[in-house]
Amino acid sequence: MQPTLSDLLVEIRNLSYFFVGFAVIWASVLGFAFLVARRGKDLRAEIDELKKALNADARK
Amino acid sequence: MKRNSDRWLDVLGLATLVFIVAGLYMAFVYAQTEVNMGLVYRIFFFHLGSVAAGFFAITLVAIAGLAYLRTNSRAWDRVAEASAEIGIVFCTIALITGSIWAKPIWGVWWTWDPRLTSFLILWLIYIAYLMLRASARDDPRVARFSAVFGIVGFIDVPIVIVSARYWRAISPVLFQENAQGFTFGLTPEMIQTLVVCIIAYLLLFFYLLAQRVRLESLRDEIMAIRRARSAG
């Protein structure tokens, strides 16, 4: 049986749900990975600064 | 020079990437389109992968919580906190993608089905867990209370799993029992794709967990340096 216009419209509408679903999945995973990486970078910078300050305190 | 743990993390990252690419290929090309649901059913592979990773994360929160209560080791506490945060990410993905999948199939974004409701309760429990942790990051009493909270919250996981089987629900039941024993309401290609996607998500979970635990170690290092500064 040939698909009707209404079948085709339903499939196109479903396609949009499909793409939104995949966008949500990968945006969430990549967003979280990016946040973790940025927090790690900030913490490493803070450790470097604190170590420098600790060394400066020791020299005084 | 790279540390041994960094090398293992690189290998884990590479394996995760390989499984994600394989999972995407199998979900889009290898698995055939489902007759009734059409193309949109392919979300299911990643939706169930997120559910599996989320449940695994929450199980690990409970195990790490128990280990923390027994040993008082900060390492277990770090694992519990990191695992809860990643578990929430995967459970959020599962909730949103489940809703997106439900709309074209059931005609509604959300329904108070037993499985959906118990899953939402699980999500709220672990949101509360993270709020509790954030309230006093370095207080050992909060760590102990969180460990107990994480263990008690885990009770909801088996309820979510069995809810569709034992209560009147519209959520699909994957394992069904008939005269031939247990059957899986999927074709072999779909099952293979599902297995690859679940492995991909579990590897992704371990990769993110390793990164997130490392973050907690850096935080502890900062606290130790601050203490040394104030003591000196």
Side-chain angles (χ1 to χ4, degrees):
Chain A
M1 204 174 82
Q2 287 287 317
T4 62
L5 182 65
S6 129
D7 290 341
L8 207 65
L9 288 174
V10 167
E11 198 53 33
I12 289 169
R13 192 199 60 186
N14 285 356
L15 205 64
S16 63
Y17 287 114
F18 172 73
F19 280 115
V20 170
F22 271 88
V24 165
I25 292 167
W26 298 112
S28 311
V29 169
L30 293 176
F32 182 72
F34 174 76
L35 273 180
V36 170
R38 207 180 66 180
R39 272 193 274 172
K41 202 176 151 188
D42 290 348
L43 288 175
R44 276 189 202 96
E46 199 178 334
I47 287 173
D48 287 343
E49 268 178 38
L50 281 170
K51 277 183 180 166
K52 272 182 207 158
L54 199 66
N55 288 339
D57 289 350
R59 263 187 251 120
K60 272 181 200 168
Chain B
M1 216 171 99
K2 274 197 167 183
R3 286 183 304 174
N4 234 359
S5 61
D6 286 341
R7 253 186 244 124
W8 276 111
L9 204 59
D10 287 348
V11 171
L12 182 62
L14 194 68
T16 307
L17 196 67
V18 167
F19 269 89
I20 286 175
V21 172
L24 283 169
Y25 172 78
M26 290 175 85
F28 282 102
V29 182
Y30 180 66
Q32 60 273 65
T33 302
E34 211 266 346
V35 183
N36 298 315
M37 291 188 267
L39 196 67
V40 77
Y41 103 97
R42 289 172 199 271
I43 289 178
F44 153 80
F45 297 115
F46 296 94
H47 168 73
L48 210 67
S50 307
V51 172
F55 281 175
F56 189 85
I58 285 162
T59 308
L60 193 58
V61 173
I63 293 169
L66 271 174
Y68 176 71
L69 291 176
R70 273 178 64 94
T71 61
N72 240 355
S73 157
R74 171 78 181 118
W76 283 114
D77 190 41
R78 281 199 286 252
V79 170
E81 185 173 4
S83 191
E85 198 176 293
I86 301 165
I88 279 294
V89 172
F90 282 119
C91 287
T92 307
I93 291 173
L95 270 176
I96 297 173
T97 54
S99 201
I100 292 169
W101 185 27
K103 179 68 176 136
I105 306 302
W106 296 340
V108 287
W109 293 103
W110 180 265
T111 175
W112 295 101
D113 168 87
R115 177 168 282 171
L116 269 62
T117 308
S118 52
F119 195 85
L120 181 67
I121 291 169
L122 184 74
W123 186 80
L124 289 171
I125 288 170
Y126 284 90
I127 288 287
Y129 174 93
L130 289 181
M131 285 166 76
L132 175 69
R133 302 245 31 164
S135 66
R137 194 167 279 281
D138 305 306
D139 189 343
R141 281 175 309 172
V142 170
R144 290 188 79 77
F145 188 66
S146 303
V148 175
F149 196 109
I151 295 162
V152 174
F154 172 74
I155 293 169
D156 196 31
V157 172
I159 295 174
V160 177
I161 294 169
V162 301
S163 58
R165 195 179 300 275
Y166 296 112
W167 288 299
R168 191 181 298 170
I170 54 172
S171 294
V173 179
L174 279 180
F175 289 105
Q176 280 153 354
E177 201 177 0
N178 58 20
Q180 286 88 42
F182 274 102
T183 59
F184 216 39
L186 300 170
T187 65
E189 289 82 2
M190 288 175 182
I191 295 170
Q192 288 156 12
T193 307
L194 186 60
V195 168
V196 169
C197 287
I198 288 175
I199 293 172
Y201 266 82
L202 289 178
L203 288 174
L204 183 62
F205 165 75
F206 281 116
Y207 183 75
L208 291 174
L209 182 73
Q211 300 283 4
R212 189 59 189 73
V213 167
R214 196 175 272 189
L215 218 61
E216 288 302 312
S217 306
L218 289 174
R219 251 190 214 126
D220 289 351
E221 204 177 323
I222 287 175
M223 292 303 295
I225 297 172
R226 281 201 183 130
R227 272 196 294 270
R229 260 194 97 185
S230 56

